[in-house]
Amino acid sequence: MHEVAFADDHPMHMNATFVPLRPGRVLINPERVPELPEMFADWDVLVCPEPAIPADQTMYFCSRWIAMNTLMLDQERIFVEAQETELLRLLEKEGFTPIPVPFRTVNTFGGGFHCATLDVRRRGGPEDYFS
């Protein structure tokens, strides 16, 4: 367990601020992450584009940045809200295989892919991403 601190005065969804995608690769919210914690100094940083959710969209229990709340299926494939075209484009350009899923209604009520999923079974054991 590692403690990290970010510029967010209403923290609710870590995945709307900072998302480790795979070892050595992280997606950050440019409004909340002015600099990476030292332990991530050698990681490649992807800066999340502005969310496609309209600025005047009513949001409950989250911000528009819930669009960052993606879900890695493995180290290549990633579930992304289908209307987040800029994020889909960025991830594809960076070598990921984005899987667009219509999820905007759930986002509006404060949930992202991590909020709506639960690992029931995993293969492999714990990994150390910092050695």
Side-chain angles (χ1 to χ4, degrees):
M1 183 76 72
H2 301 281
E3 181 180 348
V4 292
F6 300 108
D8 185 1
D9 57 354
H10 294 91
M12 185 171 279
H13 291 270
M14 177 69 161
N15 296 93
T17 299
F18 182 84
V19 183
L21 298 170
R22 63 181 175 213
R25 213 80 188 279
V26 63
L27 179 68
I28 65 163
N29 179 324
E31 295 179 0
R32 299 179 185 160
V33 184
E35 64 183 71
L36 282 179
E38 180 61 34
M39 65 195 312
F40 296 98
D42 297 334
W43 285 42
D44 292 330
V45 177
L46 301 180
V47 177
C48 189
E50 185 76 19
I53 299 171
D56 62 351
Q57 172 75 43
T58 301
M59 302 296 287
Y60 302 94
F61 305 112
C62 68
S63 74
R64 298 170 54 234
W65 289 99
I66 194 72
M68 286 181 61
N69 191 315
T70 56
L71 180 66
M72 296 298 301
L73 184 58
D74 53 35
Q75 289 192 18
E76 305 299 323
R77 297 175 293 172
I78 181 171
F79 294 109
V80 181
E81 204 294 314
Q83 295 181 57
E84 293 298 328
T85 55
E86 292 300 316
L87 181 54
L88 288 160
R89 211 172 288 139
L90 171 67
L91 291 167
E92 189 169 47
K93 182 183 126 222
E94 293 294 329
F96 292 93
T97 303
I99 302 168
V101 179
F103 218 68
R104 177 64 53 84
T105 303
V106 179
N107 289 164
T108 302
F109 286 97
F113 291 106
H114 278 114
C115 306
T117 59
L118 174 63
D119 291 345
V120 176
R121 183 175 164 183
R122 287 186 176 191
R123 292 186 177 100
E127 295 180 40
D128 182 352
Y129 285 15
F130 300 101
S131 41

